[in-house]
Amino acid sequence: MAKISPAQYQPPLPLDTIILQDGAAGAGDRMELDVLIVGAGPAGLACAIALATLAKAGGTELNIGVLEKAEALGEHSLSGAVVNPRAFRELFPDLKDADFPFRAPVAKEAVYLLTAERRWRLPTPPTMHNRGYYIASLCEIVRWLGAKAEELGVNVFTGFPAAQLLVHGSAVAGVRTAPAGLDRDGNPTAGGQAPNDLVARVTALAEGTRGLLAQAWCQWQGVASENPQIFALGVKELWETRQPLDRVIHTLGWPLPRDAFGGSFVYPLAPNLVALGLVVGLDYRDAALDVHQLVQRFKQHPLLRSLLAGGEMVEWGAKTIPEGGFYSLPARRAGERVVLLGDAAGFVDVPSLKGIHYAIQSGIYAAQAIFQNLQSGTALGEYDRLVNASFIAADLYRTRNMRPAFRDGFYLGGLQAGLMTLTGGRFPGGKYWMHADADVPRTLSPGPGEASIGVSKVDGVFKSGNATRDSIPSHLIAAPDVPVAGARFYSHVCPAGVYEAIGGGLRINAPNCVDCKATDVLGPRWTPREGGSGPKYKRM
């Protein structure tokens, strides 16, 4: 059996090309804003809405811009999702829950432990109670938030990925976008467009999971965390079904091996529309584990078989999720003229499977801190103070050791997590230490591995709406000496068929990429490509 150490073949973050002095040559247009927000997800749009609302109430005009790499709002947004409406209520105090872009309230829920053919109903853990919450599509939430932001005069620029961080001394000055219309060798075509510089008094990095500029800023400024951030990969499908589903379902156990952390979700979005998927921690030990293939196996279980019978898979997607929790948060999320929001900062609570309301709340707090900074010069460290005194930090602290407990396997981890729940997080005290995902050694069995079943990766990419140009330059940075065993590992990690093991090494099919960032965690680095590339999610 081959041994794989992912960190051995992972290129370093190309900090020398990501951090760029403001005014450096190479840009086309230059735009000056009061506030620049990178990423039109729930965190970034909430920040824009809250900031515009504060400015309007204070009789102040602010030029606020939001950059989004997708061609249209929501096209790169993916989540389960069951949403706690708490932050929506604070952001829109004049609206009722029925006014929010949710599909339906959670009426019933069930948690099962699965084996290959059987299921056992479990008591719903206190952290996973969802009564009073809502089933939703993150795509639809983002489009709705975007419309609210634009009504307030916020400029939302879609199709513009932020590729470099503009700096002046130790302060962030803004960003430079990715160029467009390059050929495979990186040379401009007839329709090529130079990158643009957008500078601002404050820049908010709300890039989502594994944000490139957030990573670069933390490394550049030496902002560490007590534990390294760890990640999970989620693969999701939408199915039009003939059978209705009347409850939210979560499962543990099969088809995951016992030393892998994760579970499944099955949510009813409409009487004939079901969202299902599997989320797996990227610290698993089996280098041949393939989350996409596990989803295909999961659909064969009797729990799903009758529900999906006669139905059709209509959309597919994948995304990584920050799972480290409290001890993996950056020591600070604010610096000179910059703040980090949402998933880019790691505001996700794994035991409750929630992150959207934390993202929105972080956007609200960032807006308050930014407004004070612009009005009176208050340091942006006020943002950290607001987060640290809030339910975001309190929730993550209460569950601080639950995800790390599963580093020792499913059953021991489950026992420890149960005790942590019963004691409100007081057991066992202290801090569980974690390895970075890329530092976890893997074992790769010889041979071709498990035969592909169900939806192929190629078909999945098609159902994601991906229409990236075939002639686009590769945006994935791989080490030059990846062996065949490493290439096979990447081919299993990636749910979109980007990587293939051929002959003596690795082939990269970059246009297939759906920006899930899984190999950015474990192998080749992801960098932004021209705007509009990647998936075009509609209801994910």
Side-chain angles (χ1 to χ4, degrees):
M1 289 189 179
K3 295 288 186 180
I4 303 295
S5 178
Q8 181 180 354
Y9 303 106
Q10 185 171 46
L13 192 70
L15 209 62
D16 57 335
T17 61
I18 300 173
I19 304 295
L20 191 66
Q21 290 299 315
D22 184 24
D29 295 333
R30 181 179 177 90
M31 178 181 290
E32 295 186 2
L33 301 161
D34 291 311
V35 180
L36 171 64
I37 299 167
V38 180
L45 291 171
C47 180
I49 291 166
L51 191 55
T53 301
L54 287 169
K56 184 177 180 181
T60 302
E61 287 191 12
L62 287 179
N63 191 358
I64 305 166
V66 181
L67 278 187
E68 169 55 42
K69 61 186 174 70
E71 187 174 39
L73 287 179
E75 289 186 344
H76 287 185
S77 300
L78 183 152
S79 183
V82 171
V83 181
N84 181 336
R86 176 176 182 170
F88 279 86
R89 293 167 181 162
E90 182 170 342
L91 187 60
F92 302 102
D94 297 330
L95 298 184
K96 300 177 181 178
D97 285 6
D99 299 320
F100 299 139
F102 303 147
R103 286 285 185 137
V106 176
K108 299 178 181 180
E109 55 189 326
V111 178
Y112 296 100
L113 175 65
L114 301 186
T115 64
E117 292 294 331
R118 302 185 64 185
R119 70 188 190 207
W120 283 270
R121 179 82 178 262
L122 302 176
T124 302
T127 57
M128 294 175 66
H129 285 169
N130 288 302
R131 292 293 181 92
Y133 299 161
Y134 294 87
I135 304 162
S137 155
L138 187 57
C139 293
E140 294 170 353
I141 288 174
V142 165
R143 287 195 289 268
W144 186 85
L145 289 173
K148 294 293 184 184
E150 290 179 327
E151 287 172 9
L152 290 165
V154 173
N155 300 297
V156 179
F157 306 106
T158 57
F160 288 94
Q164 294 168 299
L165 202 61
L166 299 176
V167 302
H168 183 78
S170 59
V172 171
V175 305
R176 179 168 290 182
T177 63
L182 304 183
D183 65 20
R184 194 163 291 172
D185 296 322
N187 301 312
T189 64
Q193 295 179 350
N196 299 313
D197 285 355
L198 293 93
V199 296
R201 297 160 68 188
V202 178
T203 299
L205 300 180
E207 306 161 278
T209 182
R210 195 73 177 174
L212 178 71
L213 301 187
Q215 288 184 72
W217 180 79
C218 287
Q219 185 170 319
W220 174 54
Q221 289 296 301
V223 179
S225 55
E226 292 191 54
N227 267 341
Q229 185 59 267
I230 59 174
F231 294 85
L233 173 62
V235 175
K236 177 181 176 181
E237 297 181 359
L238 292 188
W239 277 73
E240 289 182 352
T241 63
R242 295 183 177 181
Q243 306 295 326
L245 178 66
D246 67 349
R247 67 196 60 206
V248 163
I249 295 174
H250 294 100
T251 78
L252 305 170
W254 188 90
L256 289 178
R258 293 182 182 180
D259 61 353
F261 175 80
S264 82
F265 60 89
V266 189
Y267 299 158
L269 289 173
N272 67 332
L273 186 66
V274 169
L276 64 89
L278 194 66
V279 179
V280 183
L282 290 177
D283 56 350
Y284 56 79
R285 304 313 200 267
D286 180 2
L289 187 148
D290 189 312
V291 180
H292 174 81
Q293 279 303 311
L294 290 180
V295 172
Q296 307 317 307
R297 291 178 62 191
F298 172 61
K299 293 185 297 185
Q300 307 302 314
H301 193 276
L303 181 66
L304 273 293
R305 198 180 300 146
S306 59
L307 175 66
L308 303 181
E312 179 186 4
M313 195 266 281
V314 293
E315 198 165 355
W316 175 99
K319 186 181 180 183
T320 50
I321 305 159
E323 283 200 334
F326 183 82
Y327 288 122
S328 295
L329 299 178
R332 57 187 174 93
R333 282 78 63 188
E336 289 188 65
R337 296 171 57 182
V338 66
V339 290
L340 276 58
L341 317 182
D343 280 9
F347 296 140
V348 173
D349 182 54
V350 172
S352 65
L353 310 176
K354 298 290 183 293
I356 293 172
H357 71 298
Y358 298 126
I360 291 174
Q361 192 69 50
S362 73
I364 295 171
Y365 290 145
Q368 293 170 1
I370 291 169
F371 189 71
Q372 290 181 39
N373 174 266
L374 297 179
Q375 293 297 103
S376 61
T378 303
L380 288 172
E382 173 66 7
Y383 169 60
D384 276 328
R385 189 197 68 78
L386 289 168
V387 170
N388 293 341
S390 74
F391 70 86
I392 300 175
D395 288 357
L396 296 186
Y397 183 76
R398 185 171 58 251
T399 61
R400 60 196 179 277
N401 283 320
M402 286 192 185
R403 169 60 180 92
F406 285 88
R407 64 187 180 177
D408 299 318
F410 176 75
Y411 291 107
L412 183 57
L415 174 62
Q416 294 176 81
L419 292 172
M420 291 172 193
T421 300
L422 290 172
T423 61
R426 289 182 292 275
F427 171 85
K431 177 188 72 176
Y432 279 24
W433 188 83
M434 291 291 289
H435 287 286
D437 293 320
D439 291 331
V440 176
R442 323 279 163 142
T443 301
L444 183 64
S445 302
E450 183 179 354
S452 178
I453 58 173
V455 176
S456 72
K457 292 184 177 184
V458 171
D459 288 342
V461 173
F462 176 76
K463 290 291 188 178
S464 77
N466 190 335
T468 304
R469 283 193 299 122
D470 287 340
S471 57
I472 198 169
S474 178
H475 62 297
L476 301 163
I477 303 172
D481 56 348
V482 176
V484 173
R488 288 178 58 201
F489 171 55
Y490 298 158
S491 72
H492 292 298
V493 170
C494 176
V498 171
Y499 303 95
E500 291 181 86
I502 59 162
L506 176 67
R507 179 163 64 193
I508 300 178
N509 307 305
N512 279 20
C513 181
V514 294
D515 295 352
C516 77
K517 312 282 188 71
T519 61
D520 191 68
V521 177
L522 295 173
R525 294 284 186 176
W526 179 94
T527 60
R529 48 190 168 167
E530 72 179 32
S533 300
K536 297 184 184 297
Y537 300 138
K538 301 303 180 188
R539 294 181 288 182
M540 300 296 271

